[in-house]
Amino acid sequence: MNLILFGPPGAGKGTQATRLKETHGLAHLSTGDMLRAAVAAGTPLGKEAGAIMAAGKLVSDELICGVVAERIEEPDCAGGFILDGFPRTVAQAEALDALLAAKGKRIDAVVEIKVDEAALVARIEGRSKETGGARADDNVETLKKRLDVYRAQTAPILPFYEAKGVLHTVDGMGSIDEVTAAIEGVLAETV
Ligand code: AMP
């Protein structure tokens, strides 16, 4: 089973992916985590991505698609994976489609976690305090930029998956357990 968890920054994609990884034995592919690891390790990728991430912008499609193409080749992805934070543009969604088709694979379900923006701002404020600002992009000003980017570049992907009949939406405003239950409900019905 290959899944995409979709939603704006702070919607809980990472939290839910961590749970689904355990319960379904899937690989968790968070492009944000991969980029943060590259920044921390000071690799050429990290050097290119760091400032872009801190500004709340998107790294180039070419760069991120290369990272995902390599990651999907790793053995732990053979039994299925959860994409978290990718694709973030229509070009990335198309590139992913081509990449998977070439391997005879496909995305089985895209689960959109729907939340309201005021709640997201409150969540990021909380996360920023909890982690002592460990993530350079965890502040309200950057969140607003990231939400703008989400609306302008990422949300337009939804019709692409809707047309394929794989798009499902869950209410992301409940507790973590409630959101997990809603996602499990979608998976039980569709995959
Ligand atoms: P995330 O942890 O998913 O919120 O990602 C953190 C940051 O990494 C984003 O704000 C972007 O700067 C960058 N990033 C992560 N995934 C992508 C992607 N698929 N395309 C472009 N930039 C990305």
Side-chain angles (χ1 to χ4, degrees), residues 37-70:
V39 171
T43 64
L45 168 68
K47 289 198 173 105
E48 201 170 334
I52 299 171
M53 293 168 73
K57 296 181 184 161
L58 296 184
V59 307
S60 76
D61 289 335
E62 199 185 346
L63 202 73
I64 202 72
C65 288
V67 170
V68 171
E70 259 183 41

Side-chain angles (χ1 to χ4, degrees), residues 8-30:
K13 301 186 295 293
T15 303
Q16 296 300 332
T18 302
R19 290 184 159 202
L20 294 172
K21 170 189 166 144
E22 295 305 325
T23 46
H24 294 272
L26 301 169
H28 175 193
L29 276 51
S30 158

Side-chain angles (χ1 to χ4, degrees), residues 9 13 30-33 35-36 52-53 56-61 64 84-88 92 135 137 146:
K13 301 186 295 293
S30 158
T31 44
D33 285 351
L35 291 171
R36 279 184 288 277
I52 299 171
M53 293 168 73
K57 296 181 184 161
L58 296 184
V59 307
S60 76
D61 289 335
I64 202 72
D84 158 12
F86 181 92
R88 256 179 159 96
Q92 290 178 18
R135 276 182 60 168
D137 57 357
R146 295 170 75 213

